Amino acid sequence: MGYRILVTGGAGFIGSNLVHYLLEAAGLDLSVEIERVVTLDKLTYAGNLENLKDLEGDERHRVVEGDICDRRLVDELLKEESINAVMHLAAESHVDRSIEESASFVQTNVVGTHCLLEASRAWANTRPEIEFRFVHVSTDEVYGSLGVDDPSFSEVTPYSPNSPYSASKAASDHLVRAWFHTYEFPAITTNCSNNYGPFQFPEKLIPLMISKLQRGERLPVYGDGSNVRDWLYVEDHCRALVTALVKGIPGEVYNVGGNCEKTNLEVVRELIAVLADLDLKIGTIDPDSVIEFVTDRPGHDWRYAIDSSKIQSELGWAPKESFESGLRKTVRWYLDNAEWARHIEDGSYRGERLGLSSGA
Ligand code: NAD
């Protein structure tokens, strides 16, 4: 039997890239059979059905609007669709929003993960013949912040979350760990660094800067721009997630990263150069004249760096894109999909209801 996968948060940035990867590339890339993909998404401001529009008509895919905290709905979906794998991406994901309002982060990221774990455990117990798997998608932010000479985060780095977002993700990781140790629930956790690529909501650094550059606006950079992040092209992340699903060992944690540390200022400068090169209308831009340093975010972690040698050596995964090639693909995508960005700007993306099942 092939994989019948429930993807939570499948209308968001990474989730929609994952759904595309599962249905379009994973079969050839990783020799896996994908029989069915069910997207479960609450369609918060970050969920966008236009991200999945080109999959309309693919009978292997179903979209369900619903909340991962709705136990009855999750129970019904697991059973009705004979799910044998859950890939859990649904989350409130934006650090700045978590500082303004944290309750929804605790609700979705902690309570929602608990609901999914319990529903999945109950379902898997009724079907012992299925080799069930649960891939919990988490972040490197749970490990806290590094100093300039500190070694990169590994899978045994102690947790030290500093924002309401990372604290809620850390709590969900602990639940997943406990479900494996207490119930032998076959869960695998991945902790990944900053992603970029198509379909990323324009509140995050790279798409925000692209849209501001296109509108001739100044580019706000936190503090002095020296915060360091590790960057990974989203399709490389998706391949890591499916690799973890297929080859990963239950109970294990895999760190995923691009081995690509950059300061925010370096990212913005490289982005300006790529956009000027690909979008001739923009012309030459002097970075110093458009970058504007703004008051830093409270509790802003200074440096993240991830050691992904475990998934590379044990599961044979490696990123395919360099930052330069991934950034060019990303900018090209935003230039070719101006309408997608416009629908977010004017709010019309939230009115879309394409081939949607409501509830189970
Ligand atoms: P996103 O905000 O773009 O998408 C989240 C999706 O979850 C949205 O479609 C939203 O509608 C949905 N959602 C929110 N609450 C829900 C609920 N209660 N029930 C069902 N669906 C709900 O986020 P993203 O950037 O795609 O991140 C996906 C996952 O990957 C998250 O768990 C995040 O913590 C993790 N992650 C993200 C990054 C990154 O750089 N973006 C890096 C590492 C890990």
Side-chain angles (χ1 to χ4, degrees):
M1 186 163 115
Y3 282 98
R4 301 182 63 84
I5 305 175
L6 179 68
V7 177
T8 70
F13 163 46
I14 303 173
S16 60
N17 278 283
L18 176 65
V19 171
H20 280 95
Y21 180 77
L22 285 167
L23 293 170
E24 292 162 357
L28 273 182
D29 222 8
L30 297 173
S31 303
V32 287
E33 191 195 339
I34 307 296
E35 213 172 274
R36 183 87 166 144
V37 176
V38 178
T39 290
L40 172 60
D41 200 295
K42 187 178 173 184
L43 300 181
T44 66
Y45 79 93
N48 183 351
L49 289 176
E50 291 190 25
N51 298 358
L52 301 168
K53 199 171 180 168
D54 57 335
L55 296 173
E56 266 183 286
D58 187 329
E59 295 192 343
R60 295 169 301 163
H61 184 223
R62 174 182 173 196
V63 181
V64 177
E65 180 176 0
D67 192 329
I68 56 165
C69 301
D70 181 345
R71 175 67 191 266
R72 191 190 57 80
L73 170 62
V74 177
D75 282 344
E76 278 174 19
L77 276 179
L78 292 168
K79 188 171 171 203
E80 190 179 305
E81 295 285 356
S82 246
I83 296 295
N84 57 19
V86 173
M87 300 185 82
H88 174 34
L89 294 94
E92 289 294 338
S93 71
H94 191 46
V95 175
D96 289 340
R97 287 179 189 259
S98 79
I99 295 168
E100 295 299 317
E101 184 279 314
S102 52
S104 61
F105 286 72
V106 174
Q107 180 64 19
T108 287
N109 301 359
V110 186
V111 178
T113 300
H114 175 261
C115 176
L116 269 183
L117 284 168
E118 276 298 79
S120 302
R121 186 170 75 88
W123 162 242
N125 282 344
T126 65
R127 300 290 303 274
E129 72 282 9
I130 295 180
E131 202 183 319
F132 193 84
R133 287 287 180 274
F134 187 103
V135 177
H136 174 62
V137 180
S138 191
T139 166
D140 61 355
E141 301 195 26
V142 298
Y143 298 120
S145 184
L146 294 170
V148 67
D149 292 324
D150 290 334
S152 306
F153 301 132
S154 79
E155 289 78 2
V156 294
T157 301
Y159 273 33
S160 188
N162 291 320
S163 72
Y165 164 65
S166 55
S168 66
K169 290 296 289 187
S172 69
D173 294 7
H174 291 322
L175 288 174
V176 172
R177 177 190 156 88
W179 259 239
F180 171 74
H181 285 281
T182 306
Y183 306 111
E184 294 180 20
F185 179 69
I188 292 159
T189 296
T190 60
N191 293 88
C192 187
S193 59
N194 272 34
N195 281 218
Y196 65 99
F199 299 121
Q200 187 165 29
F201 198 80
E203 65 187 354
K204 302 277 170 82
L205 184 70
I206 289 179
L208 178 71
M209 298 298 163
I210 294 174
S211 82
K212 286 196 174 286
L213 277 167
Q214 286 179 312
R215 280 182 287 175
E217 293 175 9
R218 291 170 73 79
L219 310 182
V221 173
Y222 279 134
D224 60 2
S226 67
N227 298 68
V228 177
R229 299 291 179 263
D230 175 271
W231 291 90
L232 181 69
Y233 188 63
V234 65
E235 191 176 312
D236 281 326
H237 186 196
C238 294
R239 193 163 14 83
L241 296 177
V242 182
T243 303
L245 168 70
V246 176
K247 298 190 195 164
I249 304 196
E252 292 292 320
V253 173
Y254 299 96
N255 280 357
V256 183
N259 201 17
C260 171
E261 282 185 57
K262 303 249 173 218
T263 66
N264 285 347
L265 204 50
E266 284 170 333
V267 170
V268 173
R269 284 179 180 276
E270 287 183 45
L271 182 59
I272 291 170
V274 172
L275 191 67
D277 189 31
L278 293 180
D279 186 351
L280 300 179
K281 289 194 299 298
I282 297 256
T284 314
I285 300 168
D286 169 17
D288 294 326
S289 70
V290 286
I291 291 171
E292 179 178 51
F293 295 105
V294 297
T295 310
D296 209 353
R297 160 197 283 169
H300 200 179
D301 289 335
W302 185 65
R303 173 176 169 239
Y304 304 140
I306 200 135
D307 173 356
S308 60
S309 53
K310 179 176 171 182
I311 190 169
Q312 301 215 22
S313 64
E314 293 184 12
L315 307 187
W317 171 86
K320 288 186 179 169
E321 301 292 344
S322 66
F323 188 67
E324 195 191 349
S325 66
L327 194 60
R328 286 188 83 83
K329 280 189 175 180
T330 304
V331 171
R332 181 82 271 154
W333 188 88
Y334 280 92
L335 293 176
D336 292 344
N337 291 275
E339 199 173 299
W340 176 91
R342 213 168 25 251
H343 289 171
I344 292 182
E345 269 161 38
D346 67 19
S348 58
Y349 78 106
R350 300 207 71 176
E352 295 263 347
R353 289 292 180 269
L354 313 160
L356 189 73
S357 325
S358 189

